[in-house]
Amino acid sequence: MKQDIPGSLLKMVKFLCIAFMITMILLVILAFLLWKFEAGDSIINGGIIFAYIFSCFIGGMLFAGEKKEKCFLWGALLGLIYYVIVAGISMAINRQIFVAIPGMLSVFFLCVLGGMMGGMVRSGGRRS
């Protein structure tokens, strides 16, 4: 069984773009709520973490839907690549990466697990 590598990469990019669009929408909503209600730091941090997890979950679910087997691994891969992009952008902007390593490690696991859960949910409806 030969895999269509260029087609898979194109679909991965497509679903990563969808995940980032979801993240942007959620962060705009969060910014509006912050502006309107003057939310505290815990609400902001929780909202950002929710945006990461939810975006990876939806992206993983959509990408895993294109695959026939090992959907949870495909979802986890999408979460991993999502995290690498977010961490790369964060490093380029912040430049104080070593201060935030414990937080980045938890975001890594949340992104990968969010994508994996999306893949597991998607594969749950299939019968072999």
Side-chain angles (χ1 to χ4, degrees):
M1 174 184 212
K2 186 175 177 183
Q3 294 290 332
D4 180 26
I5 300 297
S8 292
L9 289 176
L10 188 61
K11 288 177 184 176
M12 171 77 80
V13 170
K14 174 181 153 184
F15 294 127
L16 277 169
C17 288
I18 290 171
F20 279 110
M21 282 192 266
I22 291 170
T23 302
M24 285 189 281
I25 291 168
L26 291 174
L27 292 179
V28 166
I29 291 169
L30 185 63
F32 174 76
L33 292 175
L34 172 65
W35 171 70
K36 198 70 172 166
F37 300 111
E38 298 179 11
D41 286 344
S42 62
I43 300 292
I44 295 167
N45 290 337
I48 291 170
I49 290 171
F50 173 77
Y52 288 159
I53 295 170
F54 186 72
S55 298
C56 289
F57 178 83
I58 297 297
M61 189 170 65
L62 293 173
F63 185 57
E66 299 289 322
K67 303 298 177 184
K68 292 186 181 358
E69 55 188 31
K70 298 183 182 176
C71 294
F72 67 97
L73 290 177
W74 290 110
L77 178 64
L78 186 124
L80 174 69
I81 294 172
Y82 178 94
Y83 169 79
V84 167
I85 293 170
V86 167
I89 292 170
S90 178
M91 282 187 237
I93 292 172
N94 194 3
R95 298 189 193 256
Q96 295 179 348
I97 194 65
F98 296 110
V99 176
I101 285 180
M104 289 186 63
L105 190 60
S106 63
V107 170
F108 167 76
F109 286 117
L110 292 173
C111 288
V112 172
L113 291 175
M116 184 183 291
M117 290 299 293
M120 291 168 79
V121 166
R122 185 62 180 230
S123 68
R126 292 198 183 131
R127 300 282 184 226
S128 297

